[in-house]
Amino acid sequence: METRYYIVVSIDGDYANLKRTDIESQDLMLVARALLPQDIKEGSRLKYEMLEYTLES
């Protein structure tokens, strides 16, 4: 399974808009906050690997 990297563009209630940063893309992906780490905020960088999102240090 491939590793993907995202940045949190915006948070809207129970959902967050993520933008992929490891490839050239302008598309945003809407993800339920329940699937994301609790500590996210706009600008947080995330790594998606093995069906799990983690905050990138």
Side-chain angles (χ1 to χ4, degrees):
M1 182 151 252
E2 92 181 80
T3 302
R4 298 177 181 186
Y5 295 91
Y6 296 92
I7 189 166
V8 178
V9 175
S10 64
I11 297 173
D12 185 20
D14 291 336
Y15 295 90
N17 283 300
L18 306 183
K19 181 175 183 251
R20 196 154 171 200
T21 60
D22 58 320
I23 61 168
E24 201 63 38
S25 175
Q26 296 301 317
D27 297 331
L28 294 180
M29 184 171 70
L30 190 64
V31 177
R33 294 214 35 212
L35 300 174
L36 302 172
Q38 253 185 330
D39 303 343
I40 65 162
K41 57 186 176 198
E42 290 182 10
S44 293
R45 296 189 173 277
L46 301 171
K47 177 169 79 169
Y48 179 75
E49 187 173 48
M50 302 295 288
L51 303 175
E52 183 177 52
Y53 291 93
T54 54
L55 278 169
E56 192 178 17
S57 46

